[in-house]
Amino acid sequence: MSEKKTKSFVLRVDSDTMDAIEAWAADEFRSTNGQLQWIITEALRKAHRLPKRKKGEGA
């Protein structure tokens, strides 16, 4: 099974927004980073901006 490559970057977020993200992450039993990844992926999926998966790719 191949692993996804990741890239790191700095993100500046105001404290009220960060507090809301952290609370949401806790409610969903995710890390803050995991929650941000989920939010971004969902936004890209809904906007039809994610690349199409190749046949045989899982999850």
Side-chain angles (χ1 to χ4, degrees):
M1 178 190 297
S2 65
E3 291 186 30
K4 290 183 180 182
K5 295 180 182 179
T6 61
K7 293 184 179 183
S8 298
F9 68 98
V10 176
L11 176 65
R12 290 179 183 87
V13 179
D14 65 83
S15 61
D16 290 340
T17 300
M18 193 63 189
D19 290 345
I21 292 167
E22 289 171 341
W24 190 7
D27 290 346
E28 300 286 329
F29 303 104
R30 290 188 178 109
S31 65
T32 302
N33 186 70
Q35 188 70 19
L36 286 166
Q37 288 179 329
W38 180 84
I39 292 167
I40 292 166
T41 300
E42 282 298 297
L44 289 169
R45 185 186 61 77
K46 288 178 181 178
H48 305 285
R49 297 284 185 157
L50 284 176
K52 295 193 177 177
R53 290 186 179 159
K54 295 177 184 172
K55 210 173 195 179
E57 287 186 5

